[in-house]
Coordinates of all heavy atoms in Angstrom, one line a residue:
S463 N -2.9 25.8 -6.9 CA -2.4 24.9 -8.0 C -1.3 24.0 -7.4 O -0.5 24.4 -6.6 CB -1.8 25.7 -9.1 OG -1.2 24.9 -10.0
L464 N -1.3 22.7 -7.9 CA -0.2 21.8 -7.5 C 0.7 21.5 -8.7 O 1.4 20.5 -8.6 CB -0.9 20.5 -7.0 CG -1.8 20.7 -5.8 CD1 -2.4 19.3 -5.4 CD2 -1.1 21.3 -4.6
A465 N 0.7 22.3 -9.7 CA 1.6 22.0 -10.8 C 3.0 22.5 -10.6 O 3.2 23.4 -9.8 CB 1.0 22.7 -12.1
E466 N 3.9 22.0 -11.3 CA 5.3 22.4 -11.2 C 5.5 23.7 -12.0 O 5.2 23.7 -13.2 CB 6.2 21.3 -11.6 CG 7.7 21.7 -11.6 CD 8.6 20.6 -12.0 OE1 8.1 19.5 -12.3 OE2 9.8 20.9 -12.2
P467 N 6.1 24.7 -11.4 CA 6.3 25.9 -12.2 C 7.4 25.6 -13.3 O 8.2 24.7 -13.1 CB 6.9 26.9 -11.2 CG 6.4 26.4 -9.9 CD 6.4 24.9 -10.0
V468 N 7.3 26.3 -14.4 CA 8.2 26.1 -15.5 C 8.8 27.5 -15.9 O 8.1 28.5 -15.7 CB 7.6 25.4 -16.7 CG1 7.2 24.0 -16.3 CG2 6.4 26.2 -17.2
V469 N 10.0 27.5 -16.4 CA 10.5 28.8 -16.9 C 10.4 28.8 -18.4 O 10.7 27.8 -19.1 CB 12.0 28.9 -16.5 CG1 12.7 30.1 -17.1 CG2 12.2 28.9 -15.0
V470 N 9.9 29.9 -18.9 CA 9.7 30.0 -20.4 C 10.5 31.2 -20.9 O 10.8 32.1 -20.3 CB 8.2 30.3 -20.7 CG1 7.4 29.1 -20.1 CG2 7.7 31.6 -20.1
S471 N 10.7 31.1 -22.2 CA 11.3 32.2 -23.0 C 10.1 33.0 -23.6 O 9.2 32.4 -24.1 CB 12.2 31.7 -24.1 OG 13.3 31.0 -23.5
L472 N 10.1 34.3 -23.5 CA 9.0 35.1 -24.0 C 9.0 35.1 -25.5 O 10.1 35.2 -26.2 CB 9.2 36.6 -23.5 CG 9.2 36.8 -22.0 CD1 9.3 38.2 -21.7 CD2 7.9 36.2 -21.4
P473 N 7.9 34.9 -26.1 CA 7.8 34.9 -27.6 C 8.0 36.3 -28.1 O 7.7 37.3 -27.4 CB 6.4 34.4 -27.9 CG 5.6 34.7 -26.6 CD 6.6 34.6 -25.5
E474 N 8.5 36.4 -29.3 CA 8.6 37.7 -29.9 C 7.4 38.0 -30.7 O 6.8 37.2 -31.3 CB 9.9 37.7 -30.9 CG 11.2 37.5 -30.1 CD 12.4 37.7 -31.0 OE1 12.1 37.9 -32.2 OE2 13.5 37.5 -30.6
G475 N 7.0 39.3 -30.7 CA 5.9 39.7 -31.4 C 4.6 39.7 -30.6 O 4.4 38.8 -29.8
R476 N 3.8 40.7 -30.8 CA 2.6 40.9 -30.1 C 1.6 39.7 -30.2 O 0.9 39.3 -29.3 CB 1.9 42.1 -30.5 CG 0.5 42.4 -29.9 CD -0.1 43.6 -30.5 NE -1.5 43.7 -30.2 CZ -2.5 43.0 -30.7 NH1 -2.2 42.1 -31.6 NH2 -3.7 43.2 -30.4
G477 N 1.5 39.1 -31.4 CA 0.5 38.1 -31.6 C 0.9 36.7 -31.2 O 0.2 35.8 -31.3
A478 N 2.1 36.5 -30.6 CA 2.6 35.2 -30.3 C 1.8 34.6 -29.1 O 1.3 35.3 -28.3 CB 4.0 35.3 -29.9
S479 N 1.6 33.3 -29.1 CA 0.9 32.6 -28.1 C 1.9 31.8 -27.3 O 2.8 31.2 -27.9 CB -0.2 31.7 -28.7 OG -0.7 30.9 -27.7
L480 N 1.8 31.8 -26.0 CA 2.7 31.0 -25.2 C 2.5 29.5 -25.2 O 3.4 28.8 -24.8 CB 2.6 31.5 -23.7 CG 3.0 33.0 -23.5 CD1 3.0 33.3 -22.0 CD2 4.4 33.2 -24.0

Side-chain angles (χ1 to χ4, degrees):
S463 169
L464 299 180
E466 178 179 352
V468 296
V469 175
V470 301
S471 298
L472 299 181
E474 295 184 2
R476 171 186 170 282
S479 169
L480 295 185

